[in-house]
């Protein structure tokens, strides 16, 4: 049976999409059928895998109750990796969903037989704790929280963990935190080292051993429409995301 991971942090630009795309590519490369679901109206994950922002069916259709994830899965250039693409209209879902009672269950209802078809399903969330992210957290088994190693990293983290507990209690008792992944880490700066130490002290069991370094290849791979392991398989970013994928799989 497959596992569903949400990649979430309401803070913008912390490495959610980079983590979603590259962990998905690494587990697919390791031999597992994998589905990436782009839940962000920015369509960054969709474009990062070289797909257009106007495909049907898409993630909006799934949230509207008009498709299952399996039916909306499109193949990518990466073997064993499929994607449910986003469209810019997903921005409207954030306003439409709250008007309908029970709408936080839409994505869960759209799972269909995704667990039978895919060993890993990875949900890339938008930078908010709005209705679309709530849908992802209700549908997921585990959450991975990317945390950028910078001064404001800890700010907002308490709020995120509170929201996760609330969803656990009220809507999805099976939800657990797989871990926090430190991203865009620059080991040469004292600030990055301090933030890392503080996070490991606060959340000793949660922070993954792997740290994702700031890496030019990781930043430029999306502009070529491919994951970093296809862009430059031997760069530090590829090594780090392979290591993270191993750690995620090992935590089960
Ligand atoms: N380790 C890294 N090294 C260098 N650049 C990175 C790294 N991780 C992410 N980036 C770049 O930083 C920017 C933000 O990353 P990303 O899009 O993954 O964050 P996000 O949390 O998904 O953002 P949003 O909240 O807008 O969805 C992107 O331009 C991305 O290419
Ligand atoms: Mg993103």
């Amino acid at each position: 049976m497959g596992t569903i991971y949400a990649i979430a942090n309401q803070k913008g630009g912390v490495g959610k999409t980079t983590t979603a795309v590259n962990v998905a590519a690494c587990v697919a490369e390791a031999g597992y059928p994998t589905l990436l679901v782009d839940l962000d109206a920015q369509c960054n994950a969709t474009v990062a895998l070289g797909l257009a922002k106007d495909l049907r069916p898409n993630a909006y259709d799934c949230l509207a109750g008009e498709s299952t994830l399996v039916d909306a899965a499109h193949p990518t250039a990466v073997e064993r990796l499929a994607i449910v693409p986003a469209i810019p209209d997903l921005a409207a879902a954030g306003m439409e969903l709250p008007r309908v009672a029970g709408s936080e269950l839409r994505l869960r209802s759209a799972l269909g037989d995704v667990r039978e078809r895919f060993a890993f399903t990875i949900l890339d969330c938008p930078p908010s704790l709005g209705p679309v992210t709530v849908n992802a957290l209700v549908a997921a088994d585990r959450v991975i929280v990317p945390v950028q190693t910078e001064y404001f990293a800890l700010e907002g983290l308490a709020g995120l963990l509170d929201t996760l507990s609330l969803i656990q209690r009220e809507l999805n008792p099976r939800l657990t935190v797989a871990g926090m992944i430190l991203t865009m880490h620059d080991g040469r700066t004292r600030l990055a080292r301090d933030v890392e130490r503080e996070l490991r002290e606060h959340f000793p069991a949660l922070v993954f051993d792997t740290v994702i370094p700031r890496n030019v290849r990781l930043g430029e791979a999306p502009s070529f429409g491919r994951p970093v392991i296809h862009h430059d398989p031997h760069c530090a970013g590829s090594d780090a995301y392979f290591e993270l994928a191993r750690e995620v799989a090992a935590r089960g």
Side-chain angles (χ1 to χ4, degrees):
M1 286 290 266
T3 307
I4 301 168
Y5 293 85
I7 315 292
N9 187 339
Q10 77 277 22
K11 210 164 154 50
V14 297
K16 291 181 290 295
T17 300
T18 304
T19 298
V21 167
N22 289 298
V23 168
C26 287
V27 288
E29 179 82 12
Y32 300 99
T34 302
L35 180 64
L36 177 65
V37 181
D38 187 351
L39 291 173
D40 188 0
Q42 297 179 96
C43 307
N44 292 159
T46 301
V47 171
L49 286 180
L51 278 82
K53 300 197 255 184
D54 60 358
L55 299 174
R56 303 274 327 251
N58 52 55
Y60 185 92
D61 297 316
C62 295
L63 286 168
E66 284 164 14
S67 176
T68 63
L69 288 181
V70 170
D71 288 336
H74 297 249
T76 72
V78 181
E79 210 180 333
R80 288 177 296 273
L81 178 60
I83 184 170
V84 175
I87 55 170
D89 278 356
L90 257 177
M95 290 192 290
E96 293 159 9
L97 285 171
R99 294 195 197 132
V100 191
S103 62
E104 61 276 5
L105 303 175
R106 286 286 179 80
L107 195 63
R108 182 194 277 177
S109 309
L111 291 178
D113 58 351
V114 78
R115 290 176 203 278
E116 283 85 63
R117 296 282 301 279
F118 297 97
F120 291 84
T121 296
I122 298 181
L123 313 175
D124 183 27
C125 295
S128 89
L129 289 175
V132 175
T133 298
V134 170
N135 260 272
L137 296 173
V138 171
D141 307 309
R142 315 247 188 287
V143 197
I144 294 173
V145 181
V147 180
Q148 191 178 347
T149 45
E150 43 123 274
Y151 181 64
F152 290 115
L154 286 147
E155 217 145 303
L157 223 45
L160 176 59
L161 294 175
D162 285 348
T163 302
L164 293 177
S165 316
L166 184 76
I167 288 174
Q168 255 159 357
R169 271 199 314 276
E170 308 277 329
L171 294 164
N172 183 9
R174 61 189 288 150
L175 184 70
T176 59
V177 180
M180 295 180 186
I181 177 66
L182 304 183
T183 62
M184 294 178 243
H185 189 267
D186 183 350
R188 293 166 307 180
T189 71
R190 172 149 178 212
L191 177 63
R193 292 197 302 272
D194 286 350
V195 171
E196 177 177 2
R197 186 167 28 83
E198 199 170 339
L199 280 163
R200 291 193 189 282
E201 275 168 21
H202 266 78
F203 309 104
L206 284 187
V207 181
F208 286 109
D209 294 337
T210 307
V211 172
I212 308 298
R214 190 168 276 288
N215 176 257
V216 172
R217 296 302 209 198
L218 274 173
E220 71 191 14
S223 67
F224 294 88
R226 58 199 183 204
V228 72
I229 55 168
H230 284 195
H231 181 55
D232 183 351
H234 302 296
C235 71
S238 292
D239 291 347
Y241 273 110
F242 261 127
E243 204 180 307
L244 175 61
R246 264 195 295 274
E247 235 189 299
V248 168
R251 286 192 183 190

